[in-house]
Amino acid sequence: MAALFRGSRNLLQRCNKQHVHLVLVSSRSMASKTPVGFIGLGNMGSPMAKNLLKHGYPVIATDVFPESCKELQDEGAQILDSPAEVADKADRIITMLPSSPNVIEVYTGPNGILKKVKKGTLLIDSSTIDPSVSKEMALAAEKMGAVFMDAPVSGGVGAASLAKLTFMVGGVEEEYTAAQELLTCMGANVVYCGQVGTGQAAKICNNMLLAIGMIGTAETMNLGIRLGLDPKLLAQILNMSSGRCWSSDSYNPVPGVMEGVPSGNNYQGGFGTTLMAKDLGLAQHTATNTKTPVPLGSLAHQIYRVMCARGYANKDFSSVFQFLREQEEEPEKKGD
Amino acid sequence: MAALFRGSRNLLQRCNKQHVHLVLVSSRSMASKTPVGFIGLGNMGSPMAKNLLKHGYPVIATDVFPESCKELQDEGAQILDSPAEVADKADRIITMLPSSPNVIEVYTGPNGILKKVKKGTLLIDSSTIDPSVSKEMALAAEKMGAVFMDAPVSGGVGAASLAKLTFMVGGVEEEYTAAQELLTCMGANVVYCGQVGTGQAAKICNNMLLAIGMIGTAETMNLGIRLGLDPKLLAQILNMSSGRCWSSDSYNPVPGVMEGVPSGNNYQGGFGTTLMAKDLGLAQHTATNTKTPVPLGSLAHQIYRVMCARGYANKDFSSVFQFLREQEEEPEKKGD
Amino acid sequence: MAALFRGSRNLLQRCNKQHVHLVLVSSRSMASKTPVGFIGLGNMGSPMAKNLLKHGYPVIATDVFPESCKELQDEGAQILDSPAEVADKADRIITMLPSSPNVIEVYTGPNGILKKVKKGTLLIDSSTIDPSVSKEMALAAEKMGAVFMDAPVSGGVGAASLAKLTFMVGGVEEEYTAAQELLTCMGANVVYCGQVGTGQAAKICNNMLLAIGMIGTAETMNLGIRLGLDPKLLAQILNMSSGRCWSSDSYNPVPGVMEGVPSGNNYQGGFGTTLMAKDLGLAQHTATNTKTPVPLGSLAHQIYRVMCARGYANKDFSSVFQFLREQEEEPEKKGD
Amino acid sequence: MAALFRGSRNLLQRCNKQHVHLVLVSSRSMASKTPVGFIGLGNMGSPMAKNLLKHGYPVIATDVFPESCKELQDEGAQILDSPAEVADKADRIITMLPSSPNVIEVYTGPNGILKKVKKGTLLIDSSTIDPSVSKEMALAAEKMGAVFMDAPVSGGVGAASLAKLTFMVGGVEEEYTAAQELLTCMGANVVYCGQVGTGQAAKICNNMLLAIGMIGTAETMNLGIRLGLDPKLLAQILNMSSGRCWSSDSYNPVPGVMEGVPSGNNYQGGFGTTLMAKDLGLAQHTATNTKTPVPLGSLAHQIYRVMCARGYANKDFSSVFQFLREQEEEPEKKGD
């Protein structure tokens, strides 16, 4: 997600030692480059696979869409017909799929990876899914003698192409460096989060707090403007005070307050409202399943769900300012 | 409020030039020190008045509580019987009162300031009240040829004693430097916000976003912990990503994640939950009156209102983590 | 408000004895018909005043809009220039004004009622305002030896014309029958609620619960339909079960489920969304002032505030179904 | 659930013809009483199975807890070791299990029903689970030539013992009368809701609206009382107006307003807060999965989740009044 990506890069510059070890890039020799399997060649998966090729890794790939396969084949990848066949040829496999059902199918389906996976194979899933599904897959893989890690990404298509993604990795620590060797070819930050599923947990948590902070910033800026404050001055006051957050100081949703953010470009680009709504849906699921109260997270989920239907689906998620802003204007028009 | 104070100080260190001019401390000579009136000698007002005395200003004060007056008298202040009498003797008056009704009484009541205020008198109200009341007082003062400015403070009793308060000032710009001369004796930061009422607006806005960020951080940390993430690691990930906010990186609500914050001291000290609930009530009032939607701000208000009744009234507002944390434990005890 | 009106009439049919005494229509002779003052001749006030004329009461009226006065004059009312002059001529006065500030002006302003009110005058305010303002007016009236009662109405313009309003009355019980004599000329139900301000409280409480029930019904019907339930069948199941409420069984928001309600007529007529948003704003104010948590009431307030800006301002408040309904459709259109 | 049960019975008395056909009790002869399988002998399942025995049906049962089996065996049931064995002996099977995973295991597990189910077998699941799981089970059953229907119940243990449950049935209409023959032995109301999954949908929808109405009623009664209204009078006014709902007129949460409800008995008995929280979790899941916005339903879910941790887990869900009520008292004690 572009938003998270911006945030992490900004901060890494003043990132303390504790952080540095987290994003340490594996420096061990990459002498033996054995083939890497890649399953899921969509908007994100395709540029990720290309970056593996760029780093000299032979790639054995598959996808349900032939044209996606064709494109990667032209880049030098070998294309096979099913996840099972990829598993038969590669002992390191990365999957990048849209949602939980796809992951379940690709791993445990009739032509799934686990049908032909070899003992000791490293399976890295970069899809964003429910952590409980990641745990299920890890158990199923373990039964076959394979190792499963979850490594969801932050950073959008642009970050994927530039190999600037952030990976949040969950799984057995012994395998982390092996995973890191591949992930650092596709991303700028790789963070080890703990047991399997914690990569997903970290991403879901960050995005839930991000959504809360963004809506809160939009509400607050809107209220302040209504009360006669200059938007830029209000942003300065918040940013030097306890109200500051990433949405107020690095991605302000009010047009004209900052440059180089979607609010300055009619909310084009950035992180789409539907994508945020989906991540908040995952957060809601995990919170419900773990009986964890998330009152603001739930309301943020509902607000982005409403926005999806108000023509904001494809606008950057900071457009919640515009969504709320109209609130006070129309009633006046209507002489409320 | 301690929280906001901490935040601004922390940030001032890496504060850019734009910020610096905002908090420039008046350096002009203070040759002629004519008496300053001070009305409202409570927990905040008393140390503020003492700092004026320390800076060599004669203080003419009054308060409804004789003992408060006595204490300040011992410090060298002259005590009079009513706001009207103070207005008769001083042409610069500072008021520090608990709520809107007190302010209305002290300014427009039968023995109020405006009964005897002199033309050209500078009236500075540091109470935290509804911006619309500040505007009413400004109009009433203008009719008498006086000038009213609102200058609510951030920073608690400690900051008041140490003259480390932050003042957010609203009123006619020409009078700002005159106000600044006095306010800089009592505070470390003085920020000019615009027309009368905008000082209140700035404080209300900051505290609303602060409350949203704090509850959001507490929910998120709680969810992450439930999902198996280490609290310190989760805080690091959030703080290097787009989820970061003042509550996650400077005032983390989870015990053990940071030192020197109330969460490390059983939520003692800091900024009390009831005070936050009151500020959120003001934000709710102004939002309702201006027909501004504040969905997360409203819910935050309700949550702190509930906490006030759950024994959290006098704990720091970061105790919302503890309040939510218990959630998942008890049902297990109860075999839910 | 049309909605409340429908509800009360529907229910009165199976209303138990306890209820009956509440809505008993005064049957005592109306021999001596002394003049009645009427201030505020808007959409509601004008038909109310006409019903007093129809019942043979001489009416002495005033309003800021000359044309409103002219119209009532043609119906036989005497028109005077100010509330004060009306108070000089009538010892029973009814006020019907848009909001608190108007009420304060009309009662306590320079040409206000209290400037010339006679001892023992009965003042009945049918405006919908903050109960605390009603209490202030009652105190001010008492000082002049007059009696103030709050009597806000339920039922819209139609109900006002047909003398089918519901009045909720607060004030000293001894004066209730005197008030009832006049109110029964303009309404079908008159309910005594207790001390001054309780009439406002009863209306605010009913409308807050109404809003919660309506949004809840809209959410629920929408969810059920999405899950494959027939809307009429779902309404039947809810209405024979514990989910039933006035909004589900008497004013269902789903087009086609019921006849003779706004949902069957593109949400025209009925009770406008802006009016509901205003009443919820009053509920929010009183809840904030009394430190009463109203989590669902606050959220309902925010939702109707948002709807006001989405083109729903003048549609019936049951259009929240349409507002939420679109939610799930658009994302599909957008291929979410 | 006791609450829904009360509601439906109350209303059935004045229930119109449209309703009557819904709850028609099968009166056809029950000549051939072939054995009925019953899986899941918990608090609900055990009395349900006993009612089948009372009606003369041979019962072949199984449960993971031997003692539960022993108890039913003493009543004359035949006990087998697994769902598969029950499926081998009975062509009509009822399942009553705690949650989705149990249902999946009992139907599709290694010793599950579908391992030995006979063609044409009628499978009725009375568990309360996610409608999407019901649909999965129906598909799996269809592949084996069996028919699956979902028939969740309303009414608690008491209603189960008295055969007063309400069944909401989803599945192919042709099989409804066959299901009805058995369900009417265990319940007073049997409602056909439509395709498979709609029984679950109907229950989830009713309980979501019930929760919203109950919290709304509690907030409103609390606010009205704070504003000086008598609780009984306020309830009367709401119940004759548009604020009325099942929670206000049949299950009022304020002690002393009604007799024979949990609020009159320190919130003992009735429908526990944890059970409501679970049903709201299911509603949240289905809403999230279908991208349906349920803002009040989500907040109600969060509120009951919080209550579970505040010692209200086992109190009736109307105790939300007590939970909110304390709000305004404690702050005063604490001198807020």
Side-chain angles (χ1 to χ4, degrees):
Chain A
M1 170 202 131
L4 175 46
F5 167 60
R6 283 177 52 83
S8 39
R9 194 177 47 185
N10 293 353
L11 267 142
L12 283 175
Q13 286 149 15
R14 56 171 185 271
C15 178
N16 66 34
K17 290 207 169 30
Q18 273 182 305
H19 291 156
V20 174
H21 87 267
L22 289 173
V23 296
L24 177 64
V25 170
S26 164
S27 58
R28 91 168 110 83
S29 108
M30 299 190 180
S32 66
K33 294 201 169 166
T34 61
V36 175
F38 205 105
I39 299 167
L41 304 173
N43 296 335
M44 293 294 290
S46 185
M48 288 166 69
K50 288 174 189 170
N51 281 319
L52 284 173
L53 288 166
K54 282 190 197 136
H55 279 71
Y57 288 91
V59 171
I60 301 173
T62 193
D63 188 88
V64 286
F65 294 105
E67 54 277 20
S68 309
C69 296
K70 180 77 182 58
E71 185 195 341
L72 197 69
Q73 193 169 30
D74 300 343
E75 305 269 338
Q78 177 186 0
I79 303 299
L80 297 179
D81 287 344
S82 73
E85 291 182 35
V86 172
D88 188 40
K89 295 266 178 300
D91 61 5
R92 292 180 293 182
I93 302 174
I94 294 166
T95 52
M96 188 56 164
L97 303 154
S99 66
S100 298
N102 309 98
V103 171
I104 293 168
E105 176 70 14
V106 161
Y107 280 86
T108 64
N111 295 313
I113 290 170
L114 300 185
K115 280 281 180 295
K116 292 195 177 181
V117 72
K118 301 175 213 161
K119 287 221 174 319
T121 297
L122 175 61
L123 303 166
I124 302 174
D125 179 37
S126 285
S127 320
T128 294
I129 60 172
D130 189 318
S132 62
V133 174
S134 302
K135 288 177 184 169
E136 283 174 36
M137 295 303 105
L139 274 176
E142 199 178 357
K143 286 183 189 155
M144 310 300 298
V147 176
F148 176 97
M149 303 185 93
D150 57 306
V153 303
S154 296
V157 173
S161 307
L162 298 166
K164 296 280 193 187
L165 295 168
T166 294
F167 288 91
M168 285 156 281
V169 185
V172 285
E173 192 151 17
E174 300 65 39
E175 303 290 343
Y176 175 58
T177 41
Q180 205 176 29
E181 173 193 326
L182 299 178
L183 299 178
T184 50
C185 303
M186 303 179 284
N189 309 333
V190 183
V191 184
Y192 180 67
C193 301
Q195 66 193 29
V196 72
T198 54
Q200 300 291 354
K203 178 173 180 180
I204 287 170
C205 284
N206 181 79
N207 285 10
M208 186 175 86
L209 186 50
L210 168 62
I212 292 167
M214 178 55 78
I215 298 173
T217 300
E219 287 180 14
T220 302
M221 293 294 296
N222 191 25
L223 179 59
I225 292 166
R226 292 280 289 167
L227 296 176
L229 285 161
D230 170 77
K232 280 191 172 185
L233 175 62
L234 175 55
Q236 285 174 350
I237 294 171
L238 295 173
N239 292 339
M240 62 180 281
S241 309
S242 51
R244 81 169 156 76
C245 59
W246 183 87
S247 296
S248 69
D249 68 19
S250 301
Y251 207 82
N252 199 289
V254 181
V257 168
M258 290 180 62
E259 307 233 312
V261 290
S263 60
N265 185 27
N266 195 26
Y267 304 104
Q268 299 309 303
F271 184 50
T273 293
T274 39
L275 293 172
M276 178 55 91
K278 284 175 179 174
D279 287 355
L280 291 170
L282 279 175
Q284 184 68 66
H285 268 302
T286 58
T288 301
N289 292 339
T290 56
K291 294 179 181 160
T292 310
V294 288
L296 297 191
S298 288
L299 184 51
H301 176 209
Q302 297 299 315
I303 291 168
Y304 277 114
R305 177 58 54 213
V306 171
M307 283 177 65
C308 287
R310 290 281 162 275
Y312 291 82
N314 301 319
K315 289 189 174 190
D316 178 70
F317 78 116
S318 64
S319 60
V320 64
F321 173 75
Q322 193 183 57
F323 176 74
L324 293 172
R325 217 287 168 66
E326 297 168 31
Q327 309 316 328
E328 20 97 351
E329 288 161 354
E330 298 228 1
E332 286 162 11
K333 282 195 214 119
K334 292 200 164 48
D336 169 23
Chain B
M1 168 202 136
L4 175 46
F5 167 62
R6 284 176 50 83
S8 38
R9 194 178 48 184
N10 292 355
L11 267 142
L12 284 175
Q13 287 148 16
R14 56 172 183 270
C15 176
N16 65 36
K17 292 209 168 29
Q18 271 183 307
H19 291 154
V20 174
H21 87 268
L22 289 173
V23 297
L24 176 66
V25 170
S26 164
S27 58
R28 89 171 112 79
S29 105
M30 299 189 179
S32 64
K33 293 200 168 166
T34 61
V36 175
F38 204 105
I39 299 167
L41 304 172
N43 295 336
M44 294 294 290
S46 186
M48 287 165 70
K50 287 174 189 169
N51 281 319
L52 283 173
L53 287 165
K54 282 189 196 136
H55 279 71
Y57 287 91
V59 170
I60 302 173
T62 192
D63 188 89
V64 287
F65 295 106
E67 53 277 20
S68 310
C69 296
K70 180 76 182 59
E71 185 194 342
L72 198 69
Q73 193 167 30
D74 300 343
E75 305 271 335
Q78 177 186 358
I79 303 300
L80 297 180
D81 289 344
S82 73
E85 291 182 34
V86 172
D88 188 42
K89 295 265 177 301
D91 61 5
R92 292 181 294 182
I93 302 174
I94 295 166
T95 52
M96 188 56 165
L97 303 155
S99 65
S100 298
N102 308 97
V103 171
I104 293 168
E105 177 69 15
V106 161
Y107 280 85
T108 65
N111 294 313
I113 290 170
L114 300 186
K115 280 280 180 296
K116 292 195 177 180
V117 71
K118 301 175 212 161
K119 287 222 173 320
T121 297
L122 175 61
L123 304 165
I124 303 174
D125 179 38
S126 285
S127 320
T128 296
I129 60 172
D130 189 318
S132 61
V133 174
S134 302
K135 288 177 185 170
E136 284 173 35
M137 295 303 106
L139 273 176
E142 199 178 357
K143 286 183 188 153
M144 311 299 298
V147 176
F148 176 96
M149 302 185 94
D150 57 305
V153 304
S154 295
V157 173
S161 308
L162 297 165
K164 295 280 193 186
L165 294 167
T166 294
F167 289 92
M168 284 156 281
V169 185
V172 283
E173 193 151 16
E174 301 65 39
E175 303 290 343
Y176 175 57
T177 41
Q180 205 177 29
E181 174 193 326
L182 299 178
L183 299 177
T184 50
C185 304
M186 304 179 283
N189 309 334
V190 183
V191 184
Y192 180 68
C193 301
Q195 65 192 28
V196 72
T198 54
Q200 300 291 355
K203 178 174 180 182
I204 287 171
C205 285
N206 182 79
N207 285 9
M208 185 174 87
L209 186 50
L210 169 62
I212 292 167
M214 178 55 79
I215 298 173
T217 300
E219 288 180 15
T220 302
M221 293 295 296
N222 191 25
L223 178 59
I225 292 165
R226 292 279 289 166
L227 296 176
L229 285 160
D230 170 77
K232 281 191 172 185
L233 176 61
L234 175 54
Q236 285 173 350
I237 294 171
L238 295 174
N239 293 339
M240 63 180 281
S241 307
S242 51
R244 82 172 152 76
C245 58
W246 183 87
S247 297
S248 69
D249 67 18
S250 301
Y251 207 82
N252 199 288
V254 181
V257 168
M258 290 179 62
E259 308 232 311
V261 290
S263 60
N265 185 26
N266 195 25
Y267 304 103
Q268 299 309 301
F271 183 50
T273 293
T274 40
L275 294 172
M276 179 54 92
K278 283 175 180 174
D279 288 355
L280 290 169
L282 279 175
Q284 183 69 65
H285 268 302
T286 57
T288 300
N289 293 338
T290 56
K291 293 179 180 159
T292 310
V294 289
L296 297 192
S298 288
L299 184 51
H301 176 208
Q302 298 298 316
I303 290 168
Y304 277 114
R305 177 58 56 212
V306 171
M307 283 177 64
C308 286
R310 291 280 162 276
Y312 291 82
N314 301 319
K315 290 188 173 191
D316 178 69
F317 78 116
S318 64
S319 60
V320 64
F321 172 75
Q322 194 183 56
F323 176 75
L324 293 172
R325 217 286 169 65
E326 297 170 30
Q327 309 316 328
E328 21 97 353
E329 289 161 354
E330 299 227 0
E332 286 161 11
K333 284 197 211 115
K334 293 201 164 48
D336 169 22
Chain C
M1 167 205 137
L4 175 46
F5 168 59
R6 282 178 52 82
S8 39
R9 195 177 48 184
N10 292 354
L11 267 142
L12 284 175
Q13 286 147 16
R14 53 172 186 270
C15 175
N16 67 34
K17 289 209 171 30
Q18 273 181 303
H19 291 157
V20 173
H21 89 269
L22 289 173
V23 296
L24 176 66
V25 170
S26 163
S27 58
R28 89 170 110 81
S29 107
M30 299 190 180
S32 66
K33 294 198 170 169
T34 61
V36 175
F38 204 104
I39 299 168
L41 304 173
N43 296 335
M44 294 294 288
S46 186
M48 287 166 69
K50 288 175 190 169
N51 281 318
L52 283 172
L53 287 165
K54 282 191 197 133
H55 279 71
Y57 288 91
V59 171
I60 301 174
T62 192
D63 189 88
V64 287
F65 295 106
E67 54 277 20
S68 308
C69 297
K70 181 76 182 58
E71 185 195 342
L72 198 70
Q73 193 168 30
D74 300 344
E75 304 270 337
Q78 178 186 358
I79 303 301
L80 297 179
D81 288 344
S82 73
E85 290 182 36
V86 171
D88 188 42
K89 295 266 178 302
D91 62 4
R92 293 181 293 182
I93 302 175
I94 295 166
T95 52
M96 186 58 165
L97 303 155
S99 66
S100 299
N102 309 98
V103 170
I104 293 167
E105 176 70 15
V106 161
Y107 279 87
T108 63
N111 295 313
I113 290 171
L114 299 186
K115 280 281 179 295
K116 292 195 177 180
V117 71
K118 301 174 211 163
K119 287 219 174 323
T121 296
L122 175 61
L123 304 166
I124 302 174
D125 179 37
S126 285
S127 320
T128 295
I129 60 172
D130 189 318
S132 62
V133 174
S134 301
K135 287 177 185 168
E136 284 174 36
M137 295 303 105
L139 274 175
E142 198 177 358
K143 285 182 188 155
M144 310 300 297
V147 176
F148 175 96
M149 303 184 95
D150 58 305
V153 303
S154 295
V157 173
S161 307
L162 297 166
K164 295 281 193 184
L165 295 167
T166 294
F167 288 91
M168 284 156 282
V169 185
V172 284
E173 192 152 17
E174 300 66 37
E175 302 291 340
Y176 176 57
T177 41
Q180 205 177 29
E181 174 193 326
L182 299 178
L183 299 178
T184 49
C185 303
M186 304 179 284
N189 309 333
V190 183
V191 184
Y192 180 68
C193 300
Q195 66 192 26
V196 73
T198 53
Q200 300 291 354
K203 178 174 180 181
I204 287 171
C205 285
N206 182 79
N207 285 10
M208 186 174 86
L209 186 51
L210 169 62
I212 292 168
M214 178 55 78
I215 297 173
T217 300
E219 287 180 15
T220 302
M221 293 294 297
N222 191 25
L223 178 59
I225 292 165
R226 291 280 289 168
L227 296 176
L229 284 161
D230 170 76
K232 281 191 172 185
L233 175 61
L234 175 54
Q236 284 172 352
I237 293 170
L238 295 173
N239 293 339
M240 63 180 282
S241 308
S242 52
R244 80 170 155 76
C245 59
W246 183 86
S247 297
S248 70
D249 68 18
S250 301
Y251 206 82
N252 200 288
V254 181
V257 168
M258 290 179 63
E259 309 231 313
V261 291
S263 60
N265 185 28
N266 195 27
Y267 304 104
Q268 300 309 303
F271 183 50
T273 292
T274 39
L275 294 172
M276 178 54 92
K278 284 175 179 173
D279 288 355
L280 290 169
L282 280 174
Q284 184 68 66
H285 267 302
T286 57
T288 300
N289 293 339
T290 56
K291 293 179 181 161
T292 310
V294 289
L296 297 192
S298 288
L299 184 50
H301 177 208
Q302 298 298 316
I303 291 168
Y304 277 114
R305 176 58 55 214
V306 171
M307 283 178 65
C308 287
R310 291 280 163 274
Y312 292 82
N314 301 318
K315 289 188 174 192
D316 179 69
F317 78 116
S318 64
S319 60
V320 64
F321 173 74
Q322 194 184 56
F323 176 74
L324 293 172
R325 218 282 169 71
E326 297 169 31
Q327 309 315 328
E328 22 98 352
E329 288 163 354
E330 297 226 2
E332 287 162 10
K333 282 197 213 115
K334 291 200 163 49
D336 168 23
Chain D
M1 169 203 138
L4 174 48
F5 166 60
R6 283 177 52 82
S8 37
R9 193 179 47 185
N10 293 353
L11 267 143
L12 284 175
Q13 286 147 16
R14 55 171 184 270
C15 179
N16 65 36
K17 291 209 168 30
Q18 272 183 307
H19 291 155
V20 174
H21 89 268
L22 290 173
V23 297
L24 176 66
V25 170
S26 164
S27 59
R28 90 172 111 80
S29 106
M30 299 191 180
S32 65
K33 293 201 169 167
T34 62
V36 175
F38 204 105
I39 299 167
L41 303 173
N43 296 336
M44 294 294 290
S46 186
M48 287 165 70
K50 288 175 190 168
N51 281 319
L52 284 172
L53 287 165
K54 282 191 196 134
H55 279 71
Y57 287 92
V59 171
I60 301 173
T62 191
D63 189 89
V64 287
F65 295 106
E67 54 278 19
S68 309
C69 296
K70 181 78 182 58
E71 185 194 342
L72 198 69
Q73 193 169 29
D74 301 342
E75 305 270 338
Q78 177 185 359
I79 303 300
L80 297 179
D81 288 343
S82 73
E85 291 182 35
V86 172
D88 187 41
K89 295 266 178 300
D91 61 6
R92 292 181 294 182
I93 302 174
I94 294 166
T95 52
M96 187 56 165
L97 303 155
S99 66
S100 299
N102 308 97
V103 170
I104 293 167
E105 177 70 15
V106 161
Y107 280 86
T108 65
N111 294 312
I113 290 171
L114 300 185
K115 281 281 181 294
K116 292 196 176 180
V117 71
K118 302 174 210 162
K119 287 223 173 318
T121 297
L122 176 61
L123 304 165
I124 302 174
D125 179 38
S126 285
S127 321
T128 295
I129 60 173
D130 189 317
S132 62
V133 174
S134 302
K135 287 177 185 169
E136 284 174 35
M137 294 304 106
L139 274 176
E142 198 177 357
K143 286 183 188 153
M144 310 299 297
V147 177
F148 176 95
M149 303 184 94
D150 56 306
V153 303
S154 296
V157 173
S161 308
L162 298 165
K164 295 281 192 187
L165 295 167
T166 294
F167 288 91
M168 284 156 282
V169 185
V172 283
E173 192 151 17
E174 300 67 38
E175 302 290 343
Y176 175 57
T177 40
Q180 204 176 30
E181 174 193 326
L182 299 178
L183 300 178
T184 50
C185 304
M186 304 179 284
N189 309 333
V190 183
V191 184
Y192 180 67
C193 300
Q195 65 191 31
V196 71
T198 53
Q200 301 291 354
K203 179 173 179 182
I204 287 171
C205 284
N206 183 78
N207 285 9
M208 185 175 86
L209 186 50
L210 169 63
I212 292 167
M214 178 55 79
I215 298 173
T217 300
E219 288 181 14
T220 302
M221 293 295 296
N222 191 25
L223 178 59
I225 292 165
R226 292 280 289 167
L227 296 176
L229 285 161
D230 170 77
K232 281 192 173 184
L233 175 62
L234 176 54
Q236 285 173 352
I237 294 171
L238 295 174
N239 293 339
M240 63 181 282
S241 308
S242 51
R244 80 170 155 76
C245 59
W246 183 86
S247 297
S248 70
D249 68 18
S250 301
Y251 207 82
N252 200 289
V254 181
V257 168
M258 290 179 63
E259 309 230 312
V261 290
S263 61
N265 185 28
N266 195 26
Y267 304 103
Q268 299 310 301
F271 183 51
T273 293
T274 39
L275 293 173
M276 178 55 91
K278 284 175 178 173
D279 288 355
L280 291 169
L282 280 175
Q284 184 68 65
H285 268 302
T286 58
T288 300
N289 293 338
T290 57
K291 293 181 181 159
T292 310
V294 288
L296 297 192
S298 288
L299 184 51
H301 177 207
Q302 298 299 317
I303 290 168
Y304 276 114
R305 177 57 57 210
V306 171
M307 283 177 64
C308 285
R310 292 278 162 277
Y312 291 82
N314 301 319
K315 289 189 175 192
D316 178 68
F317 78 115
S318 65
S319 61
V320 64
F321 173 75
Q322 194 184 56
F323 176 74
L324 293 173
R325 216 289 169 67
E326 297 169 30
Q327 309 316 330
E328 22 98 351
E329 289 162 352
E330 300 227 359
E332 286 162 10
K333 284 197 212 117
K334 293 199 162 49
D336 167 21

